[in-house]
Amino acid sequence: MNDFQYKEQELWCEQASVRAIAEKVGTPFYLYSYRTLKNHFHVFDQAFAEIPHIICFAVKSSSNIGILRIFVAEGGGVDIVSGGELYRAMQAGVDPRKVVYSGVGKRLDEIEYALKANILMFNVESFQELTEINACAQRLGKKAGIALRVNPDVDPQTHPYISTGLKENKFGVNIEKAIEAYREARKMPYLDIKGVSCHIGSQVTKISPFVDALNRLKKLVYLLREEGTNIRYLDLGGGLGITYKEEQPPHPTEYAKAIIDASKDMNCTFILEPGRVIVGNAGILVTKVLYTKTNEEKNFVIVDAGMNDLIRPSLYNSYHQIQPVVIKKRKTVLADIVGPICESGDYLAKDRNIPEFERGELMAVMSAGAYGFTMSSNYNSRPRVAEVLVKGDRSYVIRRREMYSDIVKGEKIPIFLKV
Ligand code: LLP
């Protein structure tokens, strides 16, 4: 299902005209469809209906509290990687017993915050972290739920920057080390060992790496149980890919079926941490063409959104489809779509065959709902853009465009420099 469709030559999000929203909020802005978000979550959740499970949405992929609220209202939990993400999730009303905390570098204050909030469990990534959590729980007179994040050493066959389950990555501990770490953890009285976790990478478009990882974890779970550790949760992380261009990732129901089939009789509650597959194709970035120019080599379309607003093309050379918001008869040209940032790496598309855009026209950058706004910055002192959610024919600003005063908020001229 796609809630971004052309009607009478114009792009609509559900029953709202993208052009009309742009006139109201200005450009650039991120635009999300409520119906798509809710539907994607629902389909993913339903795919696991046969087995006990919690869908812990990966906050890093799209963290606006208005969006988190949609998943929380559907009964979802969250996967967080910082105190800030926990704060957001709490603002969205998440049930703390559905919060898992991942990440290699949890600070003490963050551990404390999460313990006080009574989250379900920490996905622990090192031996030192185990001792830190145990000591912190002791101080607070609590028991900390934990799982060890195991690195199953499978190749997710995705972009090297976003693959995390291979030996050479910084994430998790290898299976042999994990067995030792669980033995040590059993001796720590303030830890409640709840599960085993892993996350193999992102934008994975095949099922086999997930099943390979699961099979490796399964052996570990049985071994730990033999040793007397009561493993109740199996966290398989996120990572299911989406179609940006021609990728053909498995549908969530196929993915779930493979996992369900491979995990018969495991007697665990499964935790899934999807991000991209829920939000990626539920959001777009709308930008305006400022200028066009041509030199001896190339055609350039200069737009008002830059790499600070959507960094994925610059960082991973990733592909986002480019579409005009209003369709007209025109020729196709080969061009670079670039932003206003003072860096040659600032582009949204390179050497792309696109319809010839004119000054002032609106452009939609598709599949921008995941790792779009959340990776944006104020580089070049550009205010971060607005985020808008559409439901039916209504649109809601869920984050107002930043103002110049937001940019210097918190900054101070030291007294010795004051005139
Ligand atoms: N769980 C953990 C522990 C993760 O590290 C991640 C993503 C997820 C879940 C969610 O993965 P997803 O379902 O969204 O693939 N910035 C990159 C993606 C980085 C992913 C990092 N970890 C991008 O724009 O492609």
Side-chain angles (χ1 to χ4, degrees):
M1 190 198 63
N2 191 346
D3 283 302
F4 295 95
Q5 297 274 9
Y6 285 95
K7 265 190 278 183
E8 288 162 15
Q9 314 297 308
E10 237 190 85
L11 186 63
W12 290 65
C13 174
E14 300 190 20
Q15 281 86 56
S17 144
V18 173
R19 185 188 39 77
I21 298 170
E23 275 163 19
K24 205 165 74 183
V25 303
T27 55
F29 64 98
Y30 278 93
L31 181 65
Y32 310 92
S33 154
Y34 169 76
R35 197 166 70 158
T36 309
L37 288 165
K38 188 172 152 176
N39 213 45
H40 284 178
F41 186 89
H42 184 72
V43 166
F44 199 94
D45 190 30
Q46 277 307 107
F48 287 91
E50 260 179 63
I51 54 172
H53 69 277
I54 311 173
I55 307 298
C56 292
F57 174 71
V59 174
K60 65 171 84 65
S61 64
S62 180
S63 62
N64 188 295
I65 58 174
I67 288 178
L68 297 182
R69 180 79 194 155
I70 301 171
F71 310 134
V72 166
E74 291 293 299
V78 291
D79 161 51
I80 56 162
V81 291
S82 69
E85 287 191 350
L86 176 55
Y87 182 79
R88 285 181 173 281
M90 306 278 273
Q91 296 287 307
V94 77
D95 175 352
R97 287 162 309 174
K98 293 182 182 170
V99 177
V100 293
Y101 188 170
S102 310
V104 286
K106 305 176 186 80
R107 279 198 319 257
L108 179 59
D109 62 294
E110 294 176 306
I111 294 171
E112 243 177 58
Y113 178 31
L115 275 171
K116 286 183 182 155
N118 296 318
I119 65 163
L120 176 66
M121 64 185 193
F122 294 87
N123 288 337
V124 178
E125 305 223 13
S126 65
F127 182 76
Q128 289 181 359
E129 191 191 325
L130 269 183
T131 55
E132 184 82 344
I133 294 175
N134 182 58
C136 187
Q138 175 170 21
R139 277 196 304 278
L140 295 177
K142 287 185 174 266
K143 273 216 160 192
I146 62 122
L148 274 170
R149 173 159 172 190
V150 173
N151 186 337
D153 194 25
V154 298
D155 184 358
Q157 300 163 42
T158 181
H159 192 291
Y161 286 9
I162 51 179
S163 86
T164 45
L166 274 173
K167 259 201 220 127
E168 66 231 42
N169 293 126
K170 68 175 176 179
F171 299 99
V173 289
N174 68 37
I175 295 207
E176 294 76 48
K177 278 256 168 62
I179 297 169
E180 281 168 43
Y182 274 106
R183 287 181 188 142
E184 290 304 315
R186 279 204 293 274
K187 297 182 204 150
M188 301 185 194
Y190 297 94
L191 299 184
D192 174 10
I193 305 174
K194 288 189 171 167
V196 173
S197 78
C198 79
H199 169 77
I200 58 170
S202 198
Q203 183 58 10
V204 181
T205 52
K206 296 204 177 102
I207 288 186
S208 56
F210 293 109
V211 175
D212 289 350
L214 172 58
N215 285 332
R216 289 182 193 185
L217 257 57
K218 204 162 138 180
K219 285 197 195 122
L220 176 64
V221 169
Y222 288 137
L223 190 126
L224 292 170
R225 282 182 179 159
E226 273 168 32
E227 291 188 357
T229 307
N230 182 15
I231 300 295
R232 288 151 284 164
Y233 293 91
L234 189 57
D235 183 342
L236 284 180
L240 187 58
I242 61 168
T243 304
Y244 285 100
K245 193 181 180 186
E246 283 152 352
E247 304 92 328
Q248 293 184 325
H251 189 271
T253 51
E254 286 174 66
Y255 161 82
K257 189 175 179 310
I259 290 170
I260 294 167
D261 287 348
S263 64
K264 288 263 177 303
D265 308 319
M266 276 197 74
N267 235 332
C268 275
T269 295
F270 275 74
I271 293 175
L272 290 311
E273 304 172 354
R276 190 188 320 262
V277 69
I278 309 284
V279 292
N281 276 321
I284 64 173
L285 173 66
V286 182
T287 179
K288 193 160 79 182
V289 177
L290 296 174
Y291 309 103
T292 61
K293 70 174 185 183
T294 303
N295 66 18
E296 307 76 53
E297 295 276 313
K298 280 196 159 184
N299 297 312
F300 293 98
V301 181
I302 302 154
V303 298
D304 66 357
M307 65 189 281
N308 71 301
D309 303 308
L310 178 65
I311 203 174
R312 301 193 70 257
S314 309
L315 198 56
Y316 315 116
N317 196 24
S318 43
Y319 181 98
H320 287 266
Q321 212 168 296
I322 301 289
Q323 294 175 193
V325 169
V326 179
I327 298 181
K328 298 190 263 199
K329 253 213 154 100
R330 50 182 135 193
K331 58 178 186 187
T332 299
V333 291
L334 184 68
D336 282 8
I337 297 159
V338 301
I341 300 273
C342 306
E343 302 227 12
S344 314
D346 175 27
Y347 64 90
L348 297 176
K350 240 190 176 147
D351 296 322
R352 187 78 68 82
N353 277 310
I354 48 162
E356 190 169 44
F357 279 90
E358 284 164 21
R359 251 191 110 166
E361 253 194 276
L362 292 171
M363 178 188 283
V365 183
M366 307 307 285
S367 313
Y371 307 104
F373 186 87
T374 53
M375 290 180 82
S376 69
S377 76
N378 289 118
Y379 188 39
N380 279 201
S381 288
R382 287 163 50 82
R384 274 180 300 168
V385 305
E387 291 181 285
V388 179
L389 179 69
V390 164
K391 179 176 186 284
D393 60 1
R394 301 205 51 185
S395 63
Y396 303 82
V397 174
I398 54 173
R399 192 181 212 272
R400 65 160 172 79
R401 186 178 307 284
E402 286 180 349
M403 300 180 288
Y404 290 145
S405 55
D406 293 320
I407 288 183
V408 292
K409 197 170 158 202
E411 294 181 17
K412 221 172 168 176
I413 295 171
I415 189 106
F416 70 90
L417 286 176
K418 284 208 172 133
V419 277

